[in-house]
Amino acid sequence: MGLVIETFEPAERVGFVPRFARRAMGETLWSADLVRKVTALAPLAAPETAERLADAVSLRGADLVRALISRFGGDLEEALAALEDYAGAYDSLADFGRSVAAERYGPGAGFGHLPEAYFEAFAGALIAGGDVFVIALGRDHHLFWRV
């Protein structure tokens, strides 16, 4: 007898639901899609790690989590730790540079007249200096602070 997992699609019967698919209180089940994504990323992950992966996949998407795992050579803990320092997704490096400049110096710091190339160079300097790293997925640049 399988366990019924509720999804936004018609419920499907699953013969095996990993132990980590039950949340802390055992009340909420993950969708079948989330279980598939997490087990595809880390089929042998410990339950606690799988829960953290599920949270990351739900929040940031499986593609970004997969790219982080790949960047860190399959080290799940390093990939999950990097997500804690997520700076955001930007259309361009210039957008990231502008955001950091506004955050550090205040929105009224008079950067409005500066060209895009300035902000792109600023972001490039942060990357080259090792302050941040970038994962590009499609048209988005996902940036992570290195702490």
Side-chain angles (χ1 to χ4, degrees), residues 45-130:
E48 300 78 26
T49 303
E51 281 192 22
R52 291 175 54 214
L53 270 173
D55 291 341
V57 167
S58 295
L59 188 60
R60 303 289 178 215
D63 290 339
L64 181 58
V65 174
R66 184 179 304 106
L68 276 170
I69 292 169
S70 176
R71 185 186 192 291
F72 288 103
D75 188 329
L76 297 177
E77 291 302 321
E78 286 289 323
L80 290 169
L83 279 169
E84 294 173 15
D85 299 313
Y86 184 64
Y90 297 87
D91 292 331
S92 69
L93 293 180
D95 288 345
F96 173 68
R98 182 178 290 103
S99 173
V100 172
E103 184 179 306
R104 288 189 178 176
Y105 304 110
F111 293 121
H113 68 283
L114 295 174
E116 290 285 305
Y118 172 83
F119 294 108
E120 192 166 324
F122 180 54
L126 290 171
I127 294 165

Side-chain angles (χ1 to χ4, degrees), residues 24-47:
M25 298 305 290
E27 296 170 6
T28 305
L29 292 178
W30 294 353
S31 71
D33 185 50
L34 185 57
V35 170
R36 275 192 289 280
K37 288 176 182 175
V38 170
T39 54
L41 289 170
L44 302 176

